[in-house]
Amino acid sequence: METIKKLEDLLQAVRSLKEKRTVSVAYGQDLHTLQAVSNAIKEGIVNAIIFADKEEVRRVCEANNIDMSMFEVVDVKDEKEAVRQAVRLVREKKADFIMKGLCQSATYMRGILDKQEGLLPEGKVLSHAALIESPNYHKLLIVSDVAVIPQPDLTMKEAMINYDVQIAKRLGIERPKVAVIAAVETVSPKMQATVDAALLSVMNKRGQIKDCIVDGPLATDLALSKESAEIKKVKSEVAGDADILIMPNIEAGNAFFKALTKLGNAEIAAVVTGAMAPAVLTSRGDSEKSKLYSIALAALIAEK
């Protein structure tokens, strides 16, 4: 497979799949969600089943010139019930991934995490992966976690790496380079992020973390700039060429992510990983392209 180098290339990659993916949409009765889903259908990358108040869907579609016949709508008036049914459709393998609609994020996540009827396998942890295209970096960059895990421990960071490596492979990156981010590139017992990074690097060298190259701790400038690494005399296979950034906590990840999108003109796609199927969790503030790319990314990495 040819390496995907631009978010736009996700669309063609999904179109080339042998079977079209189906998205199960939880309470998708708002313009934000219906536009995103209709755009994805027009691009030929998904089919959609929407669990929502059918009359409200009709009203929104008619008011905004969206062809309601493009997708199937299952009439569900209650938000929690819509989430439950959307999750169940994926659990029963009648849909390939799930997407949040108008429902509260907490309701959506509770549906995914439900121990009896949810999508999270025992022993797994949910994480968030953002795929970022920046005009200031030479390739796509996967960043975790910017939205789900507040303070990941060593085990969670290992899981984040494994999830992101699988995404990288679907992008055509056979041996992705993983930078474990900290404020400094030296190990200090007073800074847990540096200790975790060093341990993850050793685990990779000993074969506990496979199919990638892990280095850390690395400050962000070293991970993204060969010049910075040369100036600081840091020798690393990952420095200046990282495919994946593992952030020390959600504050660092979220700030990095939003700075890139708001000040750095970056475009993004994002999914929640770790469940039986990818979960799309877009925001009203996301661009139309971002919403489309997030659906495409979920479709690309969903198992069939």
Side-chain angles (χ1 to χ4, degrees):
M1 174 184 173
E2 188 175 339
T3 303
I4 294 173
K5 297 178 180 179
K6 301 283 186 182
L7 289 177
E8 186 71 27
D9 297 339
L10 287 172
L11 304 180
Q12 184 54 44
V14 175
R15 290 191 199 103
S16 69
L17 296 173
K18 291 181 180 179
E19 294 183 54
K20 188 178 288 187
R21 303 304 194 241
T22 297
V23 55
S24 178
V25 186
Y27 213 50
Q29 59 192 55
D30 58 307
L31 180 59
H32 158 78
T33 303
L34 292 169
Q35 279 183 333
V37 173
S38 64
N39 287 340
I41 293 171
K42 288 176 185 176
E43 288 287 346
I45 60 174
V46 293
N47 297 315
I49 301 172
I50 298 175
F51 295 87
D53 184 326
K54 197 166 188 175
E55 286 308 309
E56 181 62 15
V57 172
R58 191 186 313 280
R59 186 191 68 78
V60 174
C61 287
E62 288 177 353
N64 294 278
N65 297 315
I66 297 171
D67 182 2
M68 187 173 166
S69 68
M70 287 192 294
F71 32 72
E72 179 183 345
V73 180
V74 179
D75 190 27
V76 185
K77 308 296 185 188
D78 180 72
E79 174 182 334
K80 291 182 180 178
E81 180 61 19
V83 172
R84 191 183 72 81
Q85 291 194 34
V87 167
R88 185 176 64 189
L89 197 73
V90 176
R91 190 179 177 90
E92 293 176 349
K93 299 189 182 302
K94 295 176 182 176
D96 302 292
F97 64 100
I98 190 168
M99 179 177 178
K100 176 185 172 294
L102 186 62
C103 57
Q104 296 292 320
S105 294
T107 304
Y108 180 67
M109 297 305 290
R110 274 196 296 269
I112 293 170
L113 292 167
D114 185 277
K115 290 185 177 180
Q116 277 73 46
E117 298 184 315
L119 298 175
L120 187 66
E122 187 175 351
K124 291 282 191 176
V125 60
L126 287 184
S127 181
H128 184 276
L131 180 62
I132 300 174
E133 180 182 329
S134 168
N136 302 309
Y137 196 59
H138 59 282
K139 57 183 173 180
L140 294 177
L141 189 63
I142 303 169
V143 181
S144 287
D145 184 316
V146 311
V148 173
I149 305 176
Q151 192 69 43
D153 60 19
L154 181 69
T155 302
M156 291 173 177
K157 288 175 183 176
E158 180 185 3
M160 288 156 61
I161 291 173
N162 289 329
Y163 297 156
D164 290 353
V165 167
Q166 291 308 308
I167 292 174
K169 285 179 171 291
R170 294 308 300 265
L171 298 176
I173 306 166
E174 285 303 315
R175 195 169 169 77
K177 298 175 181 179
V178 182
V180 187
I181 300 299
V184 295
E185 59 275 5
T186 53
V187 179
S188 169
K190 294 181 180 180
M191 300 177 70
Q192 188 60 43
T194 67
V195 176
D196 289 349
L199 288 171
L200 291 164
S201 181
V202 172
M203 290 166 70
N204 173 244
K205 288 179 172 63
R206 293 186 176 181
Q208 289 175 257
I209 299 174
K210 303 180 186 298
D211 301 325
C212 60
I213 302 169
V214 179
D215 197 10
L218 288 174
T220 307
D221 59 337
L222 297 180
L224 302 178
S225 168
K226 285 188 180 297
E227 182 182 8
S228 293
E230 289 168 1
I231 291 170
K232 293 185 178 182
K233 296 182 170 52
V234 174
K235 294 182 179 180
S236 167
E237 290 183 78
V238 175
D241 197 37
D243 297 292
I244 297 168
L245 302 186
I246 300 299
M247 290 297 182
N249 54 45
I250 200 169
E251 287 90 352
N254 196 270
F256 176 82
F257 167 82
K258 287 179 178 173
L260 278 183
T261 55
K262 300 304 179 185
L263 296 178
N265 298 317
E267 288 285 353
I268 64 105
V271 292
V272 176
T273 56
M276 296 176 185
V280 178
L281 183 63
T282 58
S283 163
R284 292 179 189 273
D286 291 339
S287 70
E288 288 299 318
K289 282 186 178 180
S290 171
K291 296 167 195 171
L292 176 63
Y293 294 150
S294 295
I295 294 171
L297 177 61
L300 182 66
I301 66 176
E303 298 293 334
K304 191 72 176 176

